[in-house]
Amino acid sequence: MKVLIYGGGAREHALARKIKQSPLLEKLYLCKPNDGFAGLGEVIEAENFSVLAQISGEKGVDLLVVGPEDPLMGGIVDEFKKAGIPAIGADKKWAMLEGSKSRAKEFMLRNNIPTAKYETITGTEDVYNVLDRFSVPVVLKADGLAAGKGVYIAASRVDAEMTLKEYLEGKFGEASSKVVVEEYLEGPEISLISLWDGETLLPFIPARDYKKLSEGDKGPNTGGMGAYCPVSLTGDEYRALEEYAKNLENALKNEHAEFTGVVYSGLIMTKQGLKVLEYNMRFGDPETQPLLMHLDSDLLEVFKTTVDKELHKVSLKWKKGQTFCVVVAAAGYPENPAKGGVIGNINEVIQNHGVEIFFAGVKKEGGTIVGNGGRVLSVCQTGPCAQKYIYDAISELDFNDKIYRKDIGEVSLYNKGGCSCNCREC
Ligand code: AMP
Ligand code: GLY
């Protein structure tokens, strides 16, 4: 198969590396990769999605795999459909389940999928009345895409009033002209990433990501500072997850969701049961990095089965144990990330510690990888002592002012310790 992957983060690097391992792959094309993995395929450039679809058709591309949400909402899959090229990714209509929080809420209500109580608001004159119907803390969500920054948890009524007004007055432009005001829920979160072929939903193993910048879930929200999979669940929790996936499958079937792609459910396990926080219509970043490393099945074969609408035949195979991923970001992230800084010893670090590294905010200068702001790379490892290998690798990484969380995973290596190499498996 000839495959085109669209996107340039660590998630797309992980997709590219996994797809490269498939014997089904004839040729890999990449659109907008970062310099850290552009060498894995032939890069295609195009001024818009229609031209990209046309060039892809000429090159004989059999499958498009879309990483980020923006191209999905911009209609990339619709253009490829017109050109007769199947995709792993939602069309414009279904991308709105991620692109509009209120649409996602309406979908959940129509299909009896448990979620937080909410109201939508569009004008500042209603701020006091709407907030009267919620206790604090209360959650405010810009309706549209706001680069992962549109969710705010207001601790007090005054804070809620002020922030809600700011949102409605255009803090995130058009994206916050409508706001979802939502009941605050408490409990551990789970990311459930599933493939959907128009008939069958195939969930991956549950993953957990770490959205806050600092240890102990402190500091501002980020694009994600780490992840691991699978999350350990009790029998009851596992059954609740299975039941949820069945309900979601029925809901998508009832609503004739005809795309072939990904549905990411952001879930929270509250005392009142499992509830949905959000939908994304793409692979999670950073969850995809450990998930694909943990996957033993041929991903390209699974994607082919998805676009052939035969997911009911697939049973995914996973490695034993758990896989972890720690994100290394540039100093100043997320508000004001520094750019530049050579990352000198990547190959050495990989060799010394057996880890896998996926690139995000990097570029090449004179053949050398340098930081290019934001989340710079993801360091991943599977199996016994995985966390130790990851953290040893990061300490050795020659990159000035790197920042990362030291508590990714169920046992915090540096905070708890306990065994000979400080890792649970020993
Ligand atoms: P979202 O983009 O909707 O997933 O929100 C981002 C993060 O905000 C979630 O992963 C949660 O940590 C938090 N969050 C969102 N909605 C709620 C809620 N109703 N109650 C508590 N936390 C929430
Ligand atoms: N890890 C959360 C996301 O991809 O949105």
Side-chain angles (χ1 to χ4, degrees):
M1 290 175 76
K2 292 182 180 169
V3 179
L4 169 64
I5 299 179
Y6 188 103
R11 164 185 53 202
E12 289 78 19
H13 188 178
L15 282 162
R17 188 172 291 165
K18 186 74 183 169
I19 285 175
K20 283 282 268 193
Q21 291 164 7
S22 170
L24 289 179
L25 184 74
E26 184 187 330
K27 177 143 188 175
L28 185 64
Y29 292 97
L30 302 167
C31 189
K32 297 192 185 295
N34 68 58
D35 289 351
F37 74 97
L40 291 183
E42 181 183 319
V43 178
I44 303 183
E45 283 172 17
E47 63 262 35
N48 58 44
F49 297 144
S50 148
V51 175
L52 184 62
Q54 186 203 324
I55 299 174
S56 302
E58 285 159 14
K59 289 186 180 287
V61 167
D62 302 293
L63 178 72
L64 166 73
V65 180
V66 188
E69 61 275 25
D70 287 337
L72 294 173
M73 289 198 51
I76 190 170
V77 170
D78 308 67
E79 288 299 333
F80 274 68
K81 200 171 178 184
K82 279 190 224 157
I85 303 172
I88 296 295
D91 57 13
K92 213 170 170 172
K93 177 178 166 201
W94 280 94
M96 286 307 282
L97 222 49
E98 172 166 7
S100 164
K101 301 270 185 203
S102 58
R103 293 259 197 112
K105 285 293 210 180
E106 287 155 15
F107 170 83
M108 292 179 234
L109 281 194
R110 280 198 303 276
N111 292 289
N112 291 321
I113 293 176
T115 185
K117 190 181 87 158
Y118 81 105
E119 285 189 42
T120 52
I121 171 168
T122 50
T124 47
E125 64 281 5
D126 291 332
V127 161
Y128 299 99
N129 284 339
V130 169
L131 288 177
D132 278 347
R133 292 190 280 273
F134 291 86
S135 50
V136 286
V138 61
V139 185
L140 310 176
K141 297 183 172 182
D143 187 57
L145 290 182
K149 295 185 184 132
V151 175
Y152 184 77
I153 298 171
S156 70
R157 167 75 190 221
V158 175
D159 188 16
E161 285 171 8
M162 252 173 46
T163 311
L164 185 49
K165 281 189 201 155
E166 274 171 25
Y167 270 41
L168 292 165
E169 283 161 359
K171 176 162 186 181
F172 296 104
E174 194 45 37
S176 66
S177 60
K178 193 192 235 184
V179 178
V180 169
V181 179
E182 189 172 288
E183 164 200 16
Y184 177 76
L185 300 176
E186 270 178 294
E189 291 182 36
I190 288 182
S191 309
L192 188 68
I193 291 172
S194 309
L195 284 168
W196 167 249
D197 71 358
E199 288 273 320
T200 303
L201 188 83
L202 181 70
F204 283 17
I205 49 175
R208 172 158 297 142
D209 77 336
Y210 292 74
K211 291 199 175 75
K212 299 278 191 215
L213 181 68
S214 310
E215 280 95 25
D217 285 332
K218 304 268 167 32
N221 260 334
T222 69
M225 295 303 290
Y228 71 92
C229 68
V231 176
S232 306
L233 298 175
T234 64
D236 282 348
E237 288 167 345
Y238 189 75
R239 278 184 287 280
L241 205 59
E242 277 191 327
E243 191 188 328
Y244 165 73
K246 217 49 218 149
N247 288 344
L248 175 59
E249 183 180 71
N250 287 334
L252 291 165
K253 244 192 260 187
N254 288 342
E255 302 219 353
H256 310 289
E258 276 173 9
F259 68 94
T260 52
V262 178
V263 184
Y264 165 131
S265 308
L267 303 169
I268 185 162
M269 292 187 290
T270 72
K271 289 205 178 96
Q272 292 74 39
L274 198 67
K275 298 194 182 189
V276 178
L277 291 178
E278 66 161 343
Y279 287 120
N280 296 320
M281 301 307 282
R282 53 173 172 80
F283 284 104
D285 189 347
E287 293 96 321
T288 302
Q289 290 85 298
L291 277 169
L292 296 189
M293 227 176 129
H294 208 76
L295 181 67
D296 242 349
S297 307
D298 178 339
L299 184 67
L300 186 51
E301 194 181 327
V302 176
F303 281 172
K304 184 173 182 318
T305 318
T306 308
V307 296
D308 288 345
K309 301 184 183 298
E310 292 192 323
L311 267 185
H312 61 278
K313 293 184 180 164
V314 177
S315 158
L316 295 172
K317 294 188 191 68
W318 299 96
K319 294 186 178 128
K320 291 205 170 70
Q322 287 176 310
T323 299
F324 302 86
C325 166
V326 179
V327 170
V328 176
Y333 177 75
E335 276 95 17
N336 209 359
K339 289 199 174 177
V342 170
I343 316 168
N345 57 346
I346 289 166
N347 291 336
E348 213 176 302
V349 163
I350 293 172
Q351 252 172 18
N352 288 349
H353 302 283
V355 293
E356 290 208 24
I357 291 185
F358 302 102
F359 292 110
V362 299
K363 62 178 180 175
K364 256 189 188 158
E365 274 176 10
T368 313
I369 294 282
V370 300
N372 196 28
R375 291 186 294 170
V376 174
L377 46 83
S378 293
V379 184
C380 305
Q381 178 62 291
T382 297
C385 311
Q387 287 158 290
K388 175 179 164 52
Y389 290 126
I390 291 173
Y391 283 114
D392 284 354
I394 295 177
S395 319
E396 205 177 293
L397 200 64
D398 181 12
F399 177 51
N400 279 346
D401 299 333
K402 60 198 169 207
I403 54 172
Y404 59 97
R405 273 182 69 155
K406 299 184 183 69
D407 63 347
I408 305 300
E410 283 168 17
V411 174
S412 168
L413 188 63
Y414 288 157
N415 299 343
K416 296 220 174 114
C419 53
S420 60
C421 83
N422 277 343
C423 139
R424 184 171 66 160
E425 279 93 349
C426 292

